[in-house]
Short mmCIF file of all heavy atoms in Angstrom, two decimals:
data_model
loop_
_atom_site.label_atom_id
_atom_site.label_comp_id
_atom_site.label_asym_id
_atom_site.label_seq_id
_atom_site.Cartn_x
_atom_site.Cartn_y
_atom_site.Cartn_z
N ASP N 885 -11.85 -0.87 -1.98
CA ASP N 885 -12.96 -1.07 -2.90
C ASP N 885 -13.50 0.31 -3.28
O ASP N 885 -12.89 1.33 -2.96
CB ASP N 885 -14.03 -1.99 -2.30
CG ASP N 885 -14.61 -1.47 -0.98
OD1 ASP N 885 -14.62 -0.24 -0.76
OD2 ASP N 885 -15.04 -2.30 -0.17
N HIS N 886 -14.66 0.34 -3.90
CA HIS N 886 -15.25 1.60 -4.37
C HIS N 886 -15.46 2.60 -3.23
O HIS N 886 -15.30 3.80 -3.43
CB HIS N 886 -16.59 1.31 -5.08
CG HIS N 886 -17.25 2.54 -5.61
ND1 HIS N 886 -16.75 3.24 -6.69
CD2 HIS N 886 -18.35 3.21 -5.19
CE1 HIS N 886 -17.52 4.29 -6.91
NE2 HIS N 886 -18.50 4.29 -6.03
N ASP N 887 -15.78 2.12 -2.05
CA ASP N 887 -16.13 2.99 -0.93
C ASP N 887 -15.04 3.18 0.12
O ASP N 887 -15.09 4.12 0.89
CB ASP N 887 -17.37 2.43 -0.19
CG ASP N 887 -18.57 2.28 -1.11
OD1 ASP N 887 -18.81 3.20 -1.90
OD2 ASP N 887 -19.23 1.24 -1.05
N THR N 888 -14.08 2.29 0.17
CA THR N 888 -13.14 2.26 1.30
C THR N 888 -11.69 2.43 0.84
O THR N 888 -11.26 1.82 -0.13
CB THR N 888 -13.26 0.93 2.06
OG1 THR N 888 -14.64 0.70 2.37
CG2 THR N 888 -12.46 0.96 3.35
N ILE N 889 -10.96 3.25 1.60
CA ILE N 889 -9.54 3.48 1.37
C ILE N 889 -8.84 3.32 2.71
O ILE N 889 -9.37 3.72 3.74
CB ILE N 889 -9.31 4.89 0.79
CG1 ILE N 889 -9.91 4.97 -0.61
CG2 ILE N 889 -7.83 5.25 0.77
CD1 ILE N 889 -10.10 6.34 -1.13
N ILE N 890 -7.66 2.71 2.69
CA ILE N 890 -6.85 2.63 3.91
C ILE N 890 -5.80 3.74 3.84
O ILE N 890 -5.04 3.81 2.88
CB ILE N 890 -6.18 1.25 4.06
CG1 ILE N 890 -7.23 0.16 4.27
CG2 ILE N 890 -5.19 1.26 5.23
CD1 ILE N 890 -6.68 -1.24 4.36
N ASP N 891 -5.80 4.60 4.86
CA ASP N 891 -4.83 5.69 4.94
C ASP N 891 -3.78 5.32 5.98
O ASP N 891 -4.04 5.26 7.17
CB ASP N 891 -5.54 6.99 5.35
CG ASP N 891 -4.59 8.18 5.40
OD1 ASP N 891 -3.39 8.01 5.14
OD2 ASP N 891 -5.06 9.29 5.73
N ALA N 892 -2.56 5.07 5.48
CA ALA N 892 -1.44 4.71 6.37
C ALA N 892 -0.45 5.87 6.51
O ALA N 892 0.65 5.67 6.99
CB ALA N 892 -0.73 3.47 5.81
N THR N 893 -0.87 7.07 6.10
CA THR N 893 0.03 8.21 6.10
C THR N 893 0.56 8.54 7.50
O THR N 893 1.76 8.72 7.69
CB THR N 893 -0.65 9.46 5.50
OG1 THR N 893 -1.16 9.11 4.21
CG2 THR N 893 0.32 10.62 5.38
N LYS N 894 -0.33 8.60 8.48
CA LYS N 894 0.11 9.00 9.83
C LYS N 894 0.02 7.86 10.84
O LYS N 894 0.57 7.97 11.92
CB LYS N 894 -0.72 10.19 10.31
CG LYS N 894 -0.42 11.45 9.52
CD LYS N 894 -1.07 12.66 10.12
CE LYS N 894 -0.65 13.92 9.40
NZ LYS N 894 -1.27 15.12 9.96
N CYS N 895 -0.70 6.80 10.51
CA CYS N 895 -0.81 5.69 11.48
C CYS N 895 -0.85 4.36 10.75
O CYS N 895 -1.80 3.62 10.85
CB CYS N 895 -2.04 5.87 12.36
SG CYS N 895 -3.59 5.86 11.46
N GLY N 896 0.22 4.07 10.04
CA GLY N 896 0.30 2.82 9.32
C GLY N 896 1.44 1.96 9.84
O GLY N 896 2.06 2.28 10.85
N ASN N 897 1.71 0.88 9.12
CA ASN N 897 2.82 0.01 9.48
C ASN N 897 3.88 0.05 8.38
O ASN N 897 3.82 0.87 7.47
CB ASN N 897 2.32 -1.41 9.76
CG ASN N 897 1.77 -2.09 8.52
OD1 ASN N 897 1.57 -1.48 7.48
ND2 ASN N 897 1.50 -3.37 8.63
N LEU N 898 4.85 -0.85 8.45
CA LEU N 898 5.94 -0.85 7.49
C LEU N 898 5.50 -1.10 6.05
O LEU N 898 6.23 -0.76 5.12
CB LEU N 898 6.98 -1.91 7.89
CG LEU N 898 7.82 -1.62 9.13
CD1 LEU N 898 8.75 -2.80 9.41
CD2 LEU N 898 8.62 -0.33 8.97
N ALA N 899 4.32 -1.66 5.84
CA ALA N 899 3.85 -1.95 4.48
C ALA N 899 3.77 -0.69 3.64
O ALA N 899 3.90 -0.75 2.41
CB ALA N 899 2.49 -2.65 4.52
N ARG N 900 3.60 0.47 4.27
CA ARG N 900 3.49 1.71 3.49
C ARG N 900 4.80 2.06 2.78
O ARG N 900 4.81 2.88 1.87
CB ARG N 900 3.03 2.86 4.38
CG ARG N 900 4.04 3.28 5.41
CD ARG N 900 3.45 4.33 6.31
NE ARG N 900 4.42 4.69 7.34
CZ ARG N 900 4.26 5.68 8.16
NH1 ARG N 900 3.18 6.42 8.11
NH2 ARG N 900 5.17 5.95 9.07
N PHE N 901 5.91 1.44 3.18
CA PHE N 901 7.19 1.72 2.54
C PHE N 901 7.46 0.85 1.31
O PHE N 901 8.51 0.98 0.67
CB PHE N 901 8.34 1.56 3.54
CG PHE N 901 8.29 2.57 4.65
CD1 PHE N 901 7.97 2.18 5.94
CD2 PHE N 901 8.54 3.91 4.41
CE1 PHE N 901 7.91 3.11 6.97
CE2 PHE N 901 8.48 4.85 5.43
CZ PHE N 901 8.16 4.45 6.71
N ILE N 902 6.54 -0.04 0.96
CA ILE N 902 6.74 -0.90 -0.21
C ILE N 902 6.64 -0.04 -1.47
O ILE N 902 5.66 0.66 -1.68
CB ILE N 902 5.73 -2.05 -0.26
CG1 ILE N 902 5.83 -2.92 1.00
CG2 ILE N 902 5.94 -2.89 -1.52
CD1 ILE N 902 4.75 -3.99 1.09
N ASN N 903 7.66 -0.12 -2.30
CA ASN N 903 7.70 0.65 -3.54
C ASN N 903 7.05 -0.10 -4.70
O ASN N 903 6.97 -1.33 -4.70
CB ASN N 903 9.15 0.99 -3.92
CG ASN N 903 9.68 2.15 -3.11
OD1 ASN N 903 9.01 3.18 -2.99
ND2 ASN N 903 10.86 2.00 -2.55
N HIS N 904 6.62 0.69 -5.69
CA HIS N 904 6.08 0.13 -6.93
C HIS N 904 7.22 -0.41 -7.78
O HIS N 904 8.31 0.15 -7.82
CB HIS N 904 5.35 1.22 -7.73
CG HIS N 904 5.10 0.82 -9.15
ND1 HIS N 904 4.00 0.09 -9.53
CD2 HIS N 904 5.84 1.02 -10.27
CE1 HIS N 904 4.06 -0.13 -10.84
NE2 HIS N 904 5.17 0.43 -11.30
N CYS N 905 6.92 -1.47 -8.52
CA CYS N 905 7.84 -2.00 -9.53
C CYS N 905 6.99 -2.58 -10.66
O CYS N 905 5.95 -3.19 -10.40
CB CYS N 905 8.75 -3.07 -8.93
SG CYS N 905 10.00 -3.67 -10.09
N CYS N 906 7.43 -2.38 -11.90
CA CYS N 906 6.70 -2.92 -13.04
C CYS N 906 6.86 -4.44 -13.16
O CYS N 906 6.05 -5.10 -13.80
CB CYS N 906 7.16 -2.23 -14.32
SG CYS N 906 6.73 -0.48 -14.37
N THR N 907 7.92 -4.98 -12.55
CA THR N 907 8.10 -6.44 -12.46
C THR N 907 8.27 -6.79 -10.98
O THR N 907 9.37 -7.08 -10.51
CB THR N 907 9.32 -6.92 -13.28
OG1 THR N 907 10.46 -6.16 -12.88
CG2 THR N 907 9.09 -6.76 -14.77
N PRO N 908 7.17 -6.73 -10.22
CA PRO N 908 7.24 -6.89 -8.77
C PRO N 908 7.44 -8.33 -8.32
O PRO N 908 7.19 -9.27 -9.07
CB PRO N 908 5.86 -6.39 -8.32
CG PRO N 908 4.96 -6.74 -9.46
CD PRO N 908 5.80 -6.54 -10.70
N ASN N 909 7.89 -8.46 -7.05
CA ASN N 909 8.03 -9.81 -6.48
C ASN N 909 6.86 -10.14 -5.56
O ASN N 909 6.80 -11.23 -5.00
CB ASN N 909 9.38 -9.97 -5.75
CG ASN N 909 9.61 -8.91 -4.69
OD1 ASN N 909 8.69 -8.23 -4.24
ND2 ASN N 909 10.87 -8.73 -4.30
N CYS N 910 5.91 -9.20 -5.42
CA CYS N 910 4.73 -9.41 -4.58
C CYS N 910 3.49 -8.85 -5.27
O CYS N 910 3.58 -8.14 -6.27
CB CYS N 910 4.90 -8.70 -3.23
SG CYS N 910 6.16 -9.43 -2.17
N TYR N 911 2.34 -9.17 -4.69
CA TYR N 911 1.07 -8.60 -5.16
C TYR N 911 0.19 -8.33 -3.95
O TYR N 911 0.35 -8.94 -2.90
CB TYR N 911 0.37 -9.53 -6.16
CG TYR N 911 -0.05 -10.87 -5.59
CD1 TYR N 911 -1.34 -11.07 -5.10
CD2 TYR N 911 0.83 -11.95 -5.55
CE1 TYR N 911 -1.73 -12.30 -4.58
CE2 TYR N 911 0.46 -13.17 -5.03
CZ TYR N 911 -0.82 -13.34 -4.55
OH TYR N 911 -1.21 -14.55 -4.03
N ALA N 912 -0.73 -7.40 -4.13
CA ALA N 912 -1.68 -7.06 -3.07
C ALA N 912 -3.00 -7.74 -3.34
O ALA N 912 -3.44 -7.85 -4.49
CB ALA N 912 -1.87 -5.55 -3.03
#
């Protein structure tokens, strides 16, 4: 949201490896 960001750079899970696609099969 406006105030909060999740940083998965050094302590995240596998979700950080999800790539962008203009026609994706998922949504956040």
